[in-house]
Structure formats: structure tokens, C-alpha cells
Amino acid sequence: EIVLTQSPATLSLSPGERATLSCRASQSVSSYLAWYQQKPGQAPRLLIYDASNRATGIPARFSGSGSGTDFTLTISSLEPEDFAVYYCQQRSNWLFTFGPGTKVDIK
Amino acid sequence: QVQLQESGPGLVKPSETLSLTCAVSGYSISSGYYWGWIRQPPGKGLEWIGSIYHSGSTYYNPSLKSRVTISVDTSKNQFSLKLSSVTAADTAVYYCARHVRVVPAVGSWFDPWGQGTLVTVSS
């Protein structure tokens, strides 16, 4: 089973700052990686699919990069509504798993 | 747009079977896509449970496979989850979601999601 590791566990930043979140896979997942945002009491929302493609309606300040085992989600300039937990997700054959999440909170 | 809504009992006794339904609106399940269940224990991360196609083809998480049954009712445009022999460890928010691109050797993701329903396992 491929294990996803996310770092840091918590990222404390101020509005307007750049956020860089990491997701690392224990084996290559090619570009088969998605990113989600989850706010308290809400369902996750798809941000990025296939490592670098923004989902419909997602602002351009969100970008994804990487392939193989190392992936990055970048938020170029944090807006107040971006403070949330972010999860990465991969597929390996017929098993779909999520990383443990990175919480982006207000410094 | 596509919307999903989970429903079912919020409290289940240990050793009994958890049953949830996901009603889909704005899209006909028979038109395609897989449809999945994901759960999230309070304060923890996300775990994929399984997914189903309108034909009834299913994929399950091996860690839960022995206890999980997912079924589809195209006439009602909904799909359902049954999880047997539940324990306190099955207490979680259960989400349903459209599962996109469940085919070999390509990326696959969940979008959109239902709002989720909390199921507590307790006597």
C-alpha cells in the first residue's frame, strides 16, 4: 500500500503570505494526485487533480506541482477563506488513499 | 449542478449494521461515473470505503471489504452503504461523493461531495 505523508502538520501564516504544502508518496504515483480543502464542519472540496490541474471554479492562487513521489500545493497569497485543512489523495491500482492533512492556520 | 445528500440513522449499536443512503440530484447515476463512500472519524483524516458503478460493479477498501456492501438503485438515483458488525471505531462522518475516472492507470478523484452525516456507534 502506498502511504502519503504531508508536511508540515500545521502551517501558521498571515493573510497575504505564500503557503507551500508538501505531499510525499512512499512509491511513485506518477501524476495521479489530487488535493482537497476542508473547512470546519464542511465536506472536502476538490482543488487540484492530476497533480497540477485546477478544478472548476478554483481560484488561480491555488497551484499544484510535482510527479512521482513529491508534490506541492502552493497558495500564492493567502486569503482569509483559505485557512483550512488540506489533504492530498492518490490512487494505486484499486485503492484510493488520503494523506493525514496539513492545517493552515492564522499566525 | 450535481448534488449529493446522505441520509440514515445517526446512532447505531455495537455489532449491528450501519446503513446509509446517498441521493443524487442534477445528474443521472445511469449516465456514468462511479459513486463512492468516504468516512472521517472525529478529528481525524479521510478513509475511502468503496465505490460503485451504475452497473453494480464495485471496488472496496481491502481493510473494510469483509464488512462492506455498496449497492445502487438507478430508479431512485441513489446508492447505499451497509457496514456490518460495527464498533466504536466506526464512529465517523460518512460522506458520499462522485468518484471520477475509476479506470486503470490514470488519476482518480472525488468531486463533488455530500455534506456528510455523523454516525455514532454506541449502546
Side-chain angles (χ1 to χ4, degrees), chain A residues 32 34 36 38 42-44 46 49-50 87 89 91 94-96 98, chain B residues 40 46 48 59 95 99 101 103 105-111 113-114:
Chain A
Y32 308 156
Y36 301 84
Q38 186 178 34
Q42 297 186 17
L46 177 71
Y49 63 92
D50 285 348
Y87 295 95
Q89 173 251 315
R91 69 87 48 87
W94 304 111
L95 180 60
F96 307 87
F98 295 84
Chain B
Q40 184 173 38
L46 299 160
W48 170 69
Y59 292 102
Y95 296 101
H99 194 171
R101 262 178 34 189
V103 293
V106 295
S108 179
W109 57 89
F110 301 91
D111 179 58
W113 297 55

PDB file of all heavy atoms in Angstrom, chain A residues 32 34 36 38 42-44 46 49-50 87 89 91 94-96 98, chain B residues 40 46 48 59 95 99 101 103 105-111 113-114:
ATOM      1  N   TYR A  32      -0.815  10.959 -10.480  1.00  0.00           N
ATOM      2  CA  TYR A  32      -2.165  10.619 -10.040  1.00  0.00           C
ATOM      3  C   TYR A  32      -2.436  11.139  -8.631  1.00  0.00           C
ATOM      4  O   TYR A  32      -2.700  10.365  -7.700  1.00  0.00           O
ATOM      5  CB  TYR A  32      -2.380   9.110 -10.102  1.00  0.00           C
ATOM      6  CG  TYR A  32      -2.030   8.460 -11.420  1.00  0.00           C
ATOM      7  CD1 TYR A  32      -1.706   7.102 -11.474  1.00  0.00           C
ATOM      8  CD2 TYR A  32      -2.019   9.181 -12.609  1.00  0.00           C
ATOM      9  CE1 TYR A  32      -1.391   6.497 -12.678  1.00  0.00           C
ATOM     10  CE2 TYR A  32      -1.695   8.583 -13.818  1.00  0.00           C
ATOM     11  CZ  TYR A  32      -1.372   7.234 -13.843  1.00  0.00           C
ATOM     12  OH  TYR A  32      -1.055   6.636 -15.031  1.00  0.00           O
ATOM     13  N   ALA A  34      -4.400  14.197  -6.171  1.00  0.00           N
ATOM     14  CA  ALA A  34      -5.384  15.266  -6.043  1.00  0.00           C
ATOM     15  C   ALA A  34      -5.206  15.959  -4.698  1.00  0.00           C
ATOM     16  O   ALA A  34      -4.669  15.383  -3.755  1.00  0.00           O
ATOM     17  CB  ALA A  34      -6.795  14.689  -6.151  1.00  0.00           C
ATOM     18  N   TYR A  36      -7.375  18.470  -1.787  1.00  0.00           N
ATOM     19  CA  TYR A  36      -8.677  18.910  -1.307  1.00  0.00           C
ATOM     20  C   TYR A  36      -8.491  19.923  -0.182  1.00  0.00           C
ATOM     21  O   TYR A  36      -7.508  19.862   0.569  1.00  0.00           O
ATOM     22  CB  TYR A  36      -9.488  17.732  -0.746  1.00  0.00           C
ATOM     23  CG  TYR A  36      -9.745  16.630  -1.743  1.00  0.00           C
ATOM     24  CD1 TYR A  36      -8.788  15.642  -1.958  1.00  0.00           C
ATOM     25  CD2 TYR A  36     -10.916  16.574  -2.483  1.00  0.00           C
ATOM     26  CE1 TYR A  36      -9.003  14.621  -2.873  1.00  0.00           C
ATOM     27  CE2 TYR A  36     -11.143  15.560  -3.402  1.00  0.00           C
ATOM     28  CZ  TYR A  36     -10.176  14.592  -3.590  1.00  0.00           C
ATOM     29  OH  TYR A  36     -10.392  13.587  -4.504  1.00  0.00           O
ATOM     30  N   GLN A  38     -10.558  21.381   3.231  1.00  0.00           N
ATOM     31  CA  GLN A  38     -11.682  21.125   4.120  1.00  0.00           C
ATOM     32  C   GLN A  38     -11.726  22.178   5.223  1.00  0.00           C
ATOM     33  O   GLN A  38     -10.761  22.350   5.969  1.00  0.00           O
ATOM     34  CB  GLN A  38     -11.613  19.738   4.750  1.00  0.00           C
ATOM     35  CG  GLN A  38     -12.857  19.398   5.570  1.00  0.00           C
ATOM     36  CD  GLN A  38     -12.834  18.005   6.158  1.00  0.00           C
ATOM     37  OE1 GLN A  38     -11.793  17.478   6.524  1.00  0.00           O
ATOM     38  NE2 GLN A  38     -14.019  17.373   6.247  1.00  0.00           N
ATOM     39  N   GLN A  42     -17.422  21.249   7.255  1.00  0.00           N
ATOM     40  CA  GLN A  42     -17.765  21.129   5.837  1.00  0.00           C
ATOM     41  C   GLN A  42     -17.120  19.896   5.226  1.00  0.00           C
ATOM     42  O   GLN A  42     -16.160  19.343   5.753  1.00  0.00           O
ATOM     43  CB  GLN A  42     -17.309  22.378   5.068  1.00  0.00           C
ATOM     44  CG  GLN A  42     -17.979  23.664   5.493  1.00  0.00           C
ATOM     45  CD  GLN A  42     -17.587  24.834   4.603  1.00  0.00           C
ATOM     46  OE1 GLN A  42     -17.065  24.657   3.493  1.00  0.00           O
ATOM     47  NE2 GLN A  42     -17.862  26.042   5.083  1.00  0.00           N
ATOM     48  N   ALA A  43     -17.678  19.498   4.094  1.00  0.00           N
ATOM     49  CA  ALA A  43     -17.083  18.406   3.337  1.00  0.00           C
ATOM     50  C   ALA A  43     -15.828  18.892   2.612  1.00  0.00           C
ATOM     51  O   ALA A  43     -15.680  20.088   2.346  1.00  0.00           O
ATOM     52  CB  ALA A  43     -18.090  17.887   2.317  1.00  0.00           C
ATOM     53  N   PRO A  44     -14.922  17.994   2.300  1.00  0.00           N
ATOM     54  CA  PRO A  44     -13.776  18.380   1.475  1.00  0.00           C
ATOM     55  C   PRO A  44     -14.230  18.900   0.106  1.00  0.00           C
ATOM     56  O   PRO A  44     -15.282  18.498  -0.407  1.00  0.00           O
ATOM     57  CB  PRO A  44     -12.998  17.066   1.324  1.00  0.00           C
ATOM     58  CG  PRO A  44     -13.380  16.271   2.516  1.00  0.00           C
ATOM     59  CD  PRO A  44     -14.825  16.605   2.755  1.00  0.00           C
ATOM     60  N   LEU A  46     -12.658  19.572  -3.840  1.00  0.00           N
ATOM     61  CA  LEU A  46     -11.559  19.302  -4.757  1.00  0.00           C
ATOM     62  C   LEU A  46     -10.940  20.613  -5.218  1.00  0.00           C
ATOM     63  O   LEU A  46     -11.629  21.516  -5.681  1.00  0.00           O
ATOM     64  CB  LEU A  46     -12.069  18.515  -5.966  1.00  0.00           C
ATOM     65  CG  LEU A  46     -11.039  18.218  -7.053  1.00  0.00           C
ATOM     66  CD1 LEU A  46     -10.029  17.188  -6.571  1.00  0.00           C
ATOM     67  CD2 LEU A  46     -11.724  17.751  -8.341  1.00  0.00           C
ATOM     68  N   TYR A  49      -6.493  18.264  -9.467  1.00  0.00           N
ATOM     69  CA  TYR A  49      -6.457  16.864  -9.860  1.00  0.00           C
ATOM     70  C   TYR A  49      -5.307  16.636 -10.843  1.00  0.00           C
ATOM     71  O   TYR A  49      -4.816  17.590 -11.461  1.00  0.00           O
ATOM     72  CB  TYR A  49      -7.796  16.407 -10.459  1.00  0.00           C
ATOM     73  CG  TYR A  49      -8.176  17.119 -11.736  1.00  0.00           C
ATOM     74  CD1 TYR A  49      -7.820  16.613 -12.978  1.00  0.00           C
ATOM     75  CD2 TYR A  49      -8.895  18.316 -11.703  1.00  0.00           C
ATOM     76  CE1 TYR A  49      -8.155  17.259 -14.150  1.00  0.00           C
ATOM     77  CE2 TYR A  49      -9.234  18.979 -12.861  1.00  0.00           C
ATOM     78  CZ  TYR A  49      -8.875  18.446 -14.087  1.00  0.00           C
ATOM     79  OH  TYR A  49      -9.211  19.095 -15.249  1.00  0.00           O
ATOM     80  N   ASP A  50      -4.885  15.399 -10.952  1.00  0.00           N
ATOM     81  CA  ASP A  50      -3.729  15.060 -11.802  1.00  0.00           C
ATOM     82  C   ASP A  50      -2.548  15.977 -11.507  1.00  0.00           C
ATOM     83  O   ASP A  50      -1.853  16.434 -12.415  1.00  0.00           O
ATOM     84  CB  ASP A  50      -4.109  15.112 -13.287  1.00  0.00           C
ATOM     85  CG  ASP A  50      -4.943  13.912 -13.708  1.00  0.00           C
ATOM     86  OD1 ASP A  50      -5.024  12.940 -12.928  1.00  0.00           O
ATOM     87  OD2 ASP A  50      -5.519  13.948 -14.812  1.00  0.00           O
ATOM     88  N   TYR A  87      -5.793  18.180   2.223  1.00  0.00           N
ATOM     89  CA  TYR A  87      -5.458  16.763   2.086  1.00  0.00           C
ATOM     90  C   TYR A  87      -5.006  16.458   0.662  1.00  0.00           C
ATOM     91  O   TYR A  87      -5.580  16.966  -0.296  1.00  0.00           O
ATOM     92  CB  TYR A  87      -6.671  15.877   2.390  1.00  0.00           C
ATOM     93  CG  TYR A  87      -7.170  15.933   3.814  1.00  0.00           C
ATOM     94  CD1 TYR A  87      -8.208  16.783   4.171  1.00  0.00           C
ATOM     95  CD2 TYR A  87      -6.609  15.127   4.790  1.00  0.00           C
ATOM     96  CE1 TYR A  87      -8.686  16.825   5.478  1.00  0.00           C
ATOM     97  CE2 TYR A  87      -7.073  15.162   6.103  1.00  0.00           C
ATOM     98  CZ  TYR A  87      -8.110  16.012   6.430  1.00  0.00           C
ATOM     99  OH  TYR A  87      -8.571  16.043   7.733  1.00  0.00           O
ATOM    100  N   GLN A  89      -4.473  13.114  -2.056  1.00  0.00           N
ATOM    101  CA  GLN A  89      -5.107  11.811  -2.276  1.00  0.00           C
ATOM    102  C   GLN A  89      -4.515  11.166  -3.527  1.00  0.00           C
ATOM    103  O   GLN A  89      -4.314  11.841  -4.538  1.00  0.00           O
ATOM    104  CB  GLN A  89      -6.617  11.980  -2.429  1.00  0.00           C
ATOM    105  CG  GLN A  89      -7.380  10.716  -2.837  1.00  0.00           C
ATOM    106  CD  GLN A  89      -7.894  10.773  -4.258  1.00  0.00           C
ATOM    107  OE1 GLN A  89      -8.452  11.784  -4.699  1.00  0.00           O
ATOM    108  NE2 GLN A  89      -7.725   9.689  -5.007  1.00  0.00           N
ATOM    109  N   ARG A  91      -4.262   7.390  -6.078  1.00  0.00           N
ATOM    110  CA  ARG A  91      -4.838   6.084  -6.402  1.00  0.00           C
ATOM    111  C   ARG A  91      -3.684   5.155  -6.775  1.00  0.00           C
ATOM    112  O   ARG A  91      -2.762   5.549  -7.489  1.00  0.00           O
ATOM    113  CB  ARG A  91      -5.874   6.159  -7.520  1.00  0.00           C
ATOM    114  CG  ARG A  91      -5.356   6.481  -8.900  1.00  0.00           C
ATOM    115  CD  ARG A  91      -4.891   5.325  -9.733  1.00  0.00           C
ATOM    116  NE  ARG A  91      -5.802   4.229  -9.779  1.00  0.00           N
ATOM    117  CZ  ARG A  91      -6.802   4.120 -10.650  1.00  0.00           C
ATOM    118  NH1 ARG A  91      -7.008   5.058 -11.554  1.00  0.00           N
ATOM    119  NH2 ARG A  91      -7.594   3.049 -10.620  1.00  0.00           N
ATOM    120  N   TRP A  94      -6.519  -0.251  -7.347  1.00  0.00           N
ATOM    121  CA  TRP A  94      -7.902  -0.003  -6.954  1.00  0.00           C
ATOM    122  C   TRP A  94      -8.001   0.360  -5.480  1.00  0.00           C
ATOM    123  O   TRP A  94      -8.968   0.011  -4.808  1.00  0.00           O
ATOM    124  CB  TRP A  94      -8.764  -1.226  -7.292  1.00  0.00           C
ATOM    125  CG  TRP A  94      -8.635  -1.561  -8.741  1.00  0.00           C
ATOM    126  CD1 TRP A  94      -8.017  -2.658  -9.272  1.00  0.00           C
ATOM    127  CD2 TRP A  94      -9.057  -0.770  -9.855  1.00  0.00           C
ATOM    128  NE1 TRP A  94      -8.057  -2.586 -10.655  1.00  0.00           N
ATOM    129  CE2 TRP A  94      -8.689  -1.448 -11.031  1.00  0.00           C
ATOM    130  CE3 TRP A  94      -9.737   0.460  -9.974  1.00  0.00           C
ATOM    131  CZ2 TRP A  94      -8.961  -0.943 -12.303  1.00  0.00           C
ATOM    132  CZ3 TRP A  94     -10.015   0.942 -11.248  1.00  0.00           C
ATOM    133  CH2 TRP A  94      -9.638   0.254 -12.386  1.00  0.00           C
ATOM    134  N   LEU A  95      -7.000   1.032  -4.976  1.00  0.00           N
ATOM    135  CA  LEU A  95      -7.032   1.551  -3.606  1.00  0.00           C
ATOM    136  C   LEU A  95      -6.779   3.049  -3.659  1.00  0.00           C
ATOM    137  O   LEU A  95      -5.824   3.505  -4.285  1.00  0.00           O
ATOM    138  CB  LEU A  95      -5.969   0.864  -2.742  1.00  0.00           C
ATOM    139  CG  LEU A  95      -5.899   1.319  -1.282  1.00  0.00           C
ATOM    140  CD1 LEU A  95      -7.231   1.053  -0.579  1.00  0.00           C
ATOM    141  CD2 LEU A  95      -4.769   0.582  -0.564  1.00  0.00           C
ATOM    142  N   PHE A  96      -7.650   3.789  -3.002  1.00  0.00           N
ATOM    143  CA  PHE A  96      -7.596   5.249  -3.040  1.00  0.00           C
ATOM    144  C   PHE A  96      -7.348   5.721  -1.609  1.00  0.00           C
ATOM    145  O   PHE A  96      -8.154   5.448  -0.722  1.00  0.00           O
ATOM    146  CB  PHE A  96      -8.914   5.803  -3.591  1.00  0.00           C
ATOM    147  CG  PHE A  96      -9.280   5.192  -4.913  1.00  0.00           C
ATOM    148  CD1 PHE A  96     -10.007   4.012  -4.978  1.00  0.00           C
ATOM    149  CD2 PHE A  96      -8.856   5.773  -6.099  1.00  0.00           C
ATOM    150  CE1 PHE A  96     -10.317   3.419  -6.204  1.00  0.00           C
ATOM    151  CE2 PHE A  96      -9.157   5.195  -7.322  1.00  0.00           C
ATOM    152  CZ  PHE A  96      -9.883   4.019  -7.376  1.00  0.00           C
ATOM    153  N   PHE A  98      -5.753   8.816   1.286  1.00  0.00           N
ATOM    154  CA  PHE A  98      -5.540  10.224   1.572  1.00  0.00           C
ATOM    155  C   PHE A  98      -4.337  10.387   2.508  1.00  0.00           C
ATOM    156  O   PHE A  98      -4.033   9.508   3.309  1.00  0.00           O
ATOM    157  CB  PHE A  98      -6.771  10.810   2.265  1.00  0.00           C
ATOM    158  CG  PHE A  98      -8.015  10.822   1.413  1.00  0.00           C
ATOM    159  CD1 PHE A  98      -8.824   9.686   1.321  1.00  0.00           C
ATOM    160  CD2 PHE A  98      -8.386  11.957   0.710  1.00  0.00           C
ATOM    161  CE1 PHE A  98      -9.965   9.689   0.540  1.00  0.00           C
ATOM    162  CE2 PHE A  98      -9.529  11.971  -0.074  1.00  0.00           C
ATOM    163  CZ  PHE A  98     -10.320  10.839  -0.167  1.00  0.00           C
TER     164      PHE A  98
ATOM    165  N   GLN B  40     -14.748   9.866   7.887  1.00  0.00           N
ATOM    166  CA  GLN B  40     -13.784  10.674   8.624  1.00  0.00           C
ATOM    167  C   GLN B  40     -14.129  10.605  10.106  1.00  0.00           C
ATOM    168  O   GLN B  40     -15.077  11.265  10.559  1.00  0.00           O
ATOM    169  CB  GLN B  40     -13.806  12.124   8.135  1.00  0.00           C
ATOM    170  CG  GLN B  40     -12.781  13.020   8.783  1.00  0.00           C
ATOM    171  CD  GLN B  40     -12.749  14.388   8.132  1.00  0.00           C
ATOM    172  OE1 GLN B  40     -13.777  14.951   7.755  1.00  0.00           O
ATOM    173  NE2 GLN B  40     -11.545  14.946   7.998  1.00  0.00           N
ATOM    174  N   LEU B  46      -9.247  11.226   6.343  1.00  0.00           N
ATOM    175  CA  LEU B  46     -10.234  10.650   5.441  1.00  0.00           C
ATOM    176  C   LEU B  46      -9.858   9.229   5.042  1.00  0.00           C
ATOM    177  O   LEU B  46      -8.683   8.923   4.797  1.00  0.00           O
ATOM    178  CB  LEU B  46     -10.330  11.520   4.181  1.00  0.00           C
ATOM    179  CG  LEU B  46     -10.762  12.971   4.435  1.00  0.00           C
ATOM    180  CD1 LEU B  46     -10.357  13.853   3.263  1.00  0.00           C
ATOM    181  CD2 LEU B  46     -12.271  13.036   4.658  1.00  0.00           C
ATOM    182  N   TRP B  48     -11.221   6.168   2.350  1.00  0.00           N
ATOM    183  CA  TRP B  48     -12.120   5.682   1.297  1.00  0.00           C
ATOM    184  C   TRP B  48     -12.666   4.327   1.701  1.00  0.00           C
ATOM    185  O   TRP B  48     -11.916   3.445   2.136  1.00  0.00           O
ATOM    186  CB  TRP B  48     -11.363   5.580  -0.013  1.00  0.00           C
ATOM    187  CG  TRP B  48     -12.099   4.885  -1.115  1.00  0.00           C
ATOM    188  CD1 TRP B  48     -13.208   5.340  -1.792  1.00  0.00           C
ATOM    189  CD2 TRP B  48     -11.795   3.612  -1.680  1.00  0.00           C
ATOM    190  NE1 TRP B  48     -13.597   4.421  -2.746  1.00  0.00           N
ATOM    191  CE2 TRP B  48     -12.747   3.357  -2.696  1.00  0.00           C
ATOM    192  CE3 TRP B  48     -10.802   2.666  -1.433  1.00  0.00           C
ATOM    193  CZ2 TRP B  48     -12.735   2.189  -3.463  1.00  0.00           C
ATOM    194  CZ3 TRP B  48     -10.779   1.498  -2.191  1.00  0.00           C
ATOM    195  CH2 TRP B  48     -11.742   1.271  -3.178  1.00  0.00           C
ATOM    196  N   TYR B  59     -15.730  -1.503  -6.110  1.00  0.00           N
ATOM    197  CA  TYR B  59     -14.383  -1.612  -5.561  1.00  0.00           C
ATOM    198  C   TYR B  59     -14.472  -1.240  -4.090  1.00  0.00           C
ATOM    199  O   TYR B  59     -15.121  -0.256  -3.738  1.00  0.00           O
ATOM    200  CB  TYR B  59     -13.415  -0.661  -6.278  1.00  0.00           C
ATOM    201  CG  TYR B  59     -13.162  -1.041  -7.709  1.00  0.00           C
ATOM    202  CD1 TYR B  59     -13.797  -0.363  -8.747  1.00  0.00           C
ATOM    203  CD2 TYR B  59     -12.296  -2.073  -8.026  1.00  0.00           C
ATOM    204  CE1 TYR B  59     -13.570  -0.718 -10.071  1.00  0.00           C
ATOM    205  CE2 TYR B  59     -12.061  -2.429  -9.343  1.00  0.00           C
ATOM    206  CZ  TYR B  59     -12.711  -1.754 -10.362  1.00  0.00           C
ATOM    207  OH  TYR B  59     -12.486  -2.107 -11.653  1.00  0.00           O
ATOM    208  N   TYR B  95     -19.293  10.445   4.214  1.00  0.00           N
ATOM    209  CA  TYR B  95     -19.552  11.259   3.034  1.00  0.00           C
ATOM    210  C   TYR B  95     -19.799  10.367   1.826  1.00  0.00           C
ATOM    211  O   TYR B  95     -19.155   9.320   1.679  1.00  0.00           O
ATOM    212  CB  TYR B  95     -18.343  12.133   2.699  1.00  0.00           C
ATOM    213  CG  TYR B  95     -17.972  13.172   3.722  1.00  0.00           C
ATOM    214  CD1 TYR B  95     -16.912  12.953   4.598  1.00  0.00           C
ATOM    215  CD2 TYR B  95     -18.631  14.391   3.774  1.00  0.00           C
ATOM    216  CE1 TYR B  95     -16.544  13.915   5.524  1.00  0.00           C
ATOM    217  CE2 TYR B  95     -18.269  15.362   4.699  1.00  0.00           C
ATOM    218  CZ  TYR B  95     -17.226  15.116   5.565  1.00  0.00           C
ATOM    219  OH  TYR B  95     -16.865  16.072   6.482  1.00  0.00           O
ATOM    220  N   HIS B  99     -17.157   9.683  -7.856  1.00  0.00           N
ATOM    221  CA  HIS B  99     -15.787   9.197  -7.972  1.00  0.00           C
ATOM    222  C   HIS B  99     -15.418   9.228  -9.451  1.00  0.00           C
ATOM    223  O   HIS B  99     -15.936   8.467 -10.254  1.00  0.00           O
ATOM    224  CB  HIS B  99     -15.698   7.778  -7.419  1.00  0.00           C
ATOM    225  CG  HIS B  99     -14.309   7.318  -7.195  1.00  0.00           C
ATOM    226  ND1 HIS B  99     -14.018   6.147  -6.527  1.00  0.00           N
ATOM    227  CD2 HIS B  99     -13.112   7.850  -7.553  1.00  0.00           C
ATOM    228  CE1 HIS B  99     -12.701   5.992  -6.482  1.00  0.00           C
ATOM    229  NE2 HIS B  99     -12.145   7.017  -7.105  1.00  0.00           N
ATOM    230  N   ARG B 101     -13.170   9.040 -12.869  1.00  0.00           N
ATOM    231  CA  ARG B 101     -12.128   8.322 -13.604  1.00  0.00           C
ATOM    232  C   ARG B 101     -11.622   7.105 -12.860  1.00  0.00           C
ATOM    233  O   ARG B 101     -10.443   6.977 -12.546  1.00  0.00           O
ATOM    234  CB  ARG B 101     -10.982   9.270 -13.953  1.00  0.00           C
ATOM    235  CG  ARG B 101     -11.119   9.770 -15.367  1.00  0.00           C
ATOM    236  CD  ARG B 101     -10.089  10.740 -15.817  1.00  0.00           C
ATOM    237  NE  ARG B 101      -8.768  10.594 -15.320  1.00  0.00           N
ATOM    238  CZ  ARG B 101      -7.823  11.498 -15.519  1.00  0.00           C
ATOM    239  NH1 ARG B 101      -8.108  12.590 -16.197  1.00  0.00           N
ATOM    240  NH2 ARG B 101      -6.629  11.340 -15.043  1.00  0.00           N
ATOM    241  N   VAL B 103     -10.689   4.158 -13.738  1.00  0.00           N
ATOM    242  CA  VAL B 103     -10.184   3.288 -14.809  1.00  0.00           C
ATOM    243  C   VAL B 103      -8.702   3.088 -14.562  1.00  0.00           C
ATOM    244  O   VAL B 103      -8.074   3.880 -13.861  1.00  0.00           O
ATOM    245  CB  VAL B 103     -10.430   3.899 -16.207  1.00  0.00           C
ATOM    246  CG1 VAL B 103     -11.909   3.963 -16.516  1.00  0.00           C
ATOM    247  CG2 VAL B 103      -9.813   5.272 -16.308  1.00  0.00           C
ATOM    248  N   ALA B 105      -4.716   3.031 -14.500  1.00  0.00           N
ATOM    249  CA  ALA B 105      -3.541   3.807 -14.883  1.00  0.00           C
ATOM    250  C   ALA B 105      -3.816   5.266 -15.215  1.00  0.00           C
ATOM    251  O   ALA B 105      -3.160   5.840 -16.091  1.00  0.00           O
ATOM    252  CB  ALA B 105      -2.842   3.133 -16.060  1.00  0.00           C
ATOM    253  N   VAL B 106      -4.761   5.867 -14.518  1.00  0.00           N
ATOM    254  CA  VAL B 106      -4.977   7.310 -14.652  1.00  0.00           C
ATOM    255  C   VAL B 106      -5.327   7.852 -13.266  1.00  0.00           C
ATOM    256  O   VAL B 106      -5.665   7.100 -12.357  1.00  0.00           O
ATOM    257  CB  VAL B 106      -6.115   7.663 -15.637  1.00  0.00           C
ATOM    258  CG1 VAL B 106      -5.756   7.232 -17.052  1.00  0.00           C
ATOM    259  CG2 VAL B 106      -7.438   7.085 -15.188  1.00  0.00           C
ATOM    260  N   GLY B 107      -5.248   9.171 -13.142  1.00  0.00           N
ATOM    261  CA  GLY B 107      -5.651   9.784 -11.892  1.00  0.00           C
ATOM    262  C   GLY B 107      -7.130   9.618 -11.641  1.00  0.00           C
ATOM    263  O   GLY B 107      -7.928   9.482 -12.570  1.00  0.00           O
ATOM    264  N   SER B 108      -7.497   9.656 -10.368  1.00  0.00           N
ATOM    265  CA  SER B 108      -8.884   9.464  -9.971  1.00  0.00           C
ATOM    266  C   SER B 108      -9.150  10.322  -8.742  1.00  0.00           C
ATOM    267  O   SER B 108      -8.296  10.394  -7.859  1.00  0.00           O
ATOM    268  CB  SER B 108      -9.125   7.985  -9.672  1.00  0.00           C
ATOM    269  OG  SER B 108     -10.454   7.741  -9.269  1.00  0.00           O
ATOM    270  N   TRP B 109     -10.308  10.935  -8.695  1.00  0.00           N
ATOM    271  CA  TRP B 109     -10.590  11.842  -7.579  1.00  0.00           C
ATOM    272  C   TRP B 109     -12.075  11.859  -7.270  1.00  0.00           C
ATOM    273  O   TRP B 109     -12.879  11.229  -7.961  1.00  0.00           O
ATOM    274  CB  TRP B 109     -10.078  13.247  -7.896  1.00  0.00           C
ATOM    275  CG  TRP B 109     -10.650  13.825  -9.154  1.00  0.00           C
ATOM    276  CD1 TRP B 109     -11.805  14.565  -9.291  1.00  0.00           C
ATOM    277  CD2 TRP B 109     -10.108  13.702 -10.468  1.00  0.00           C
ATOM    278  NE1 TRP B 109     -12.002  14.880 -10.608  1.00  0.00           N
ATOM    279  CE2 TRP B 109     -10.975  14.381 -11.357  1.00  0.00           C
ATOM    280  CE3 TRP B 109      -8.962  13.079 -10.995  1.00  0.00           C
ATOM    281  CZ2 TRP B 109     -10.743  14.459 -12.723  1.00  0.00           C
ATOM    282  CZ3 TRP B 109      -8.716  13.168 -12.354  1.00  0.00           C
ATOM    283  CH2 TRP B 109      -9.607  13.848 -13.200  1.00  0.00           C
ATOM    284  N   PHE B 110     -12.438  12.579  -6.183  1.00  0.00           N
ATOM    285  CA  PHE B 110     -13.809  12.639  -5.689  1.00  0.00           C
ATOM    286  C   PHE B 110     -14.333  14.069  -5.810  1.00  0.00           C
ATOM    287  O   PHE B 110     -13.783  14.991  -5.226  1.00  0.00           O
ATOM    288  CB  PHE B 110     -13.864  12.194  -4.228  1.00  0.00           C
ATOM    289  CG  PHE B 110     -13.359  10.783  -4.008  1.00  0.00           C
ATOM    290  CD1 PHE B 110     -12.029  10.565  -3.713  1.00  0.00           C
ATOM    291  CD2 PHE B 110     -14.208   9.699  -4.136  1.00  0.00           C
ATOM    292  CE1 PHE B 110     -11.544   9.270  -3.533  1.00  0.00           C
ATOM    293  CE2 PHE B 110     -13.739   8.407  -3.962  1.00  0.00           C
ATOM    294  CZ  PHE B 110     -12.406   8.196  -3.661  1.00  0.00           C
ATOM    295  N   ASP B 111     -15.412  14.240  -6.561  1.00  0.00           N
ATOM    296  CA  ASP B 111     -15.961  15.569  -6.775  1.00  0.00           C
ATOM    297  C   ASP B 111     -17.288  15.493  -7.490  1.00  0.00           C
ATOM    298  O   ASP B 111     -17.363  14.883  -8.559  1.00  0.00           O
ATOM    299  CB  ASP B 111     -14.990  16.411  -7.627  1.00  0.00           C
ATOM    300  CG  ASP B 111     -15.521  17.811  -7.905  1.00  0.00           C
ATOM    301  OD1 ASP B 111     -15.800  18.538  -6.927  1.00  0.00           O
ATOM    302  OD2 ASP B 111     -15.661  18.146  -9.082  1.00  0.00           O
ATOM    303  N   TRP B 113     -18.807  16.355  -3.294  1.00  0.00           N
ATOM    304  CA  TRP B 113     -19.100  15.592  -2.078  1.00  0.00           C
ATOM    305  C   TRP B 113     -20.455  16.001  -1.501  1.00  0.00           C
ATOM    306  O   TRP B 113     -20.892  17.131  -1.675  1.00  0.00           O
ATOM    307  CB  TRP B 113     -18.040  15.866  -1.016  1.00  0.00           C
ATOM    308  CG  TRP B 113     -16.642  15.458  -1.368  1.00  0.00           C
ATOM    309  CD1 TRP B 113     -15.921  15.825  -2.476  1.00  0.00           C
ATOM    310  CD2 TRP B 113     -15.773  14.631  -0.602  1.00  0.00           C
ATOM    311  NE1 TRP B 113     -14.664  15.268  -2.450  1.00  0.00           N
ATOM    312  CE2 TRP B 113     -14.544  14.539  -1.307  1.00  0.00           C
ATOM    313  CE3 TRP B 113     -15.893  13.961   0.619  1.00  0.00           C
ATOM    314  CZ2 TRP B 113     -13.453  13.794  -0.823  1.00  0.00           C
ATOM    315  CZ3 TRP B 113     -14.811  13.233   1.097  1.00  0.00           C
ATOM    316  CH2 TRP B 113     -13.603  13.150   0.372  1.00  0.00           C
ATOM    317  N   GLY B 114     -21.081  15.074  -0.796  1.00  0.00           N
ATOM    318  CA  GLY B 114     -22.229  15.432   0.009  1.00  0.00           C
ATOM    319  C   GLY B 114     -21.767  16.153   1.266  1.00  0.00           C
ATOM    320  O   GLY B 114     -20.564  16.232   1.538  1.00  0.00           O
TER     321      GLY B 114
END
